[in-house]
C-alpha cells in the first residue's frame, strides 16, 4: 500500500523560505503524481500545488502563484519550494497521490501523508 511522507516544515519569519519534501513508498507504480494541500486552524483543507509525472505540467492556487514552486525529485518524490512566506501560509501541509490527471480537487487524490506544520510569524 502506498504511503506518503512529508518533511521540511518549521517555524520561520515572514519573508523567509522553506522547502517541503514528499516521498512515496510502497507502490510498484513507475511514478506518482503528487499534489500539495494545506489546512489552517479552523479552515477547510485547500489545494496548493500539483505536478504531473514528468514535471512538465503543474497547477497552483492563485494565493501561492509566484511565491511557491513545485518540482519533482524523482518519479516518486516532489518538492514544494515556498518563498516570501506570509502569516496566511501558516498551516499543516499535506502531500497526496493524484489519480491522473492532476487537478485541484482533493477528491481526486487517494493517498495522503500525515502532514508537516509550517508556522510563519511576523
Amino acid at each position: 500500500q502506498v504511503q506518503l511522507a512529508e518533511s521540511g516544515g518549521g517555524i520561520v519569519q515572514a519573508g523567509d523560505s522553506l522547502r517541503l519534501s514528499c516521498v512515496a513508498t510502497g507502490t510498484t507504480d513507475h511514478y506518482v503524481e503528487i499534489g500539495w494541500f494545506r489546512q489552517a486552524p479552523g479552515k477547510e483543507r485547500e489545494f496548493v500545488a500539483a505536478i504531473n509525472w514528468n514535471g512538465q505540467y503543474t497547477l497552483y492556487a492563485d494565493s501561492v502563484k509566484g511565491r511557491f514552486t513545485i518540482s519533482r525529485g524523482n518519479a516518486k518524490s516532489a518538492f514544494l519550494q515556498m518563498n516570501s512566506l506570509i502569516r496566511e501560509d501558516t498551516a499543516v501541509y499535506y502531500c497526496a497521490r493524484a489519480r491522473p490527471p492532476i487537478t485541484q480537487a482533493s477528491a481526486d487524490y487517494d493517498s495522503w501523508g500525515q502532514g508537516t506544520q509550517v508556522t510563519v510569524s511576523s
Side-chain angles (χ1 to χ4, degrees):
Q1 182 173 351
V2 64
Q3 293 184 322
L4 290 97
E6 307 92 342
S7 61
I11 302 172
V12 298
Q13 298 281 336
D16 286 351
S17 299
L18 274 178
R19 189 173 83 155
L20 305 183
S21 299
C22 174
V23 178
T25 59
T27 176
T28 57
D29 292 345
H30 292 298
Y31 60 83
V32 176
E33 301 199 325
I34 293 173
W36 285 94
F37 291 76
R38 66 187 182 185
Q39 187 166 20
K43 295 188 177 181
E44 294 187 354
R45 188 173 298 186
E46 64 175 0
F47 172 79
V48 176
I51 191 165
N52 79 325
W53 70 277
N54 63 1
Q56 291 187 350
Y57 183 53
T58 57
L59 293 173
Y60 292 96
D62 288 343
S63 59
V64 306
K65 280 180 182 177
R67 300 188 299 120
F68 291 12
T69 303
I70 190 170
S71 61
R72 295 217 65 103
N74 55 34
K76 298 181 185 180
S77 68
F79 301 107
L80 184 67
Q81 177 67 42
M82 306 186 296
N83 298 330
S84 302
L85 285 161
I86 59 178
R87 285 182 59 186
E88 290 73 19
D89 295 321
T90 296
V92 177
Y93 284 72
Y94 300 89
C95 69
R97 181 180 70 171
R99 293 192 293 267
I102 55 171
T103 73
Q104 298 192 19
S106 60
D108 292 331
Y109 294 77
D110 60 5
S111 297
W112 294 78
Q114 294 297 309
T116 185
Q117 177 71 47
V118 172
T119 302
V120 183
S121 62
S122 58

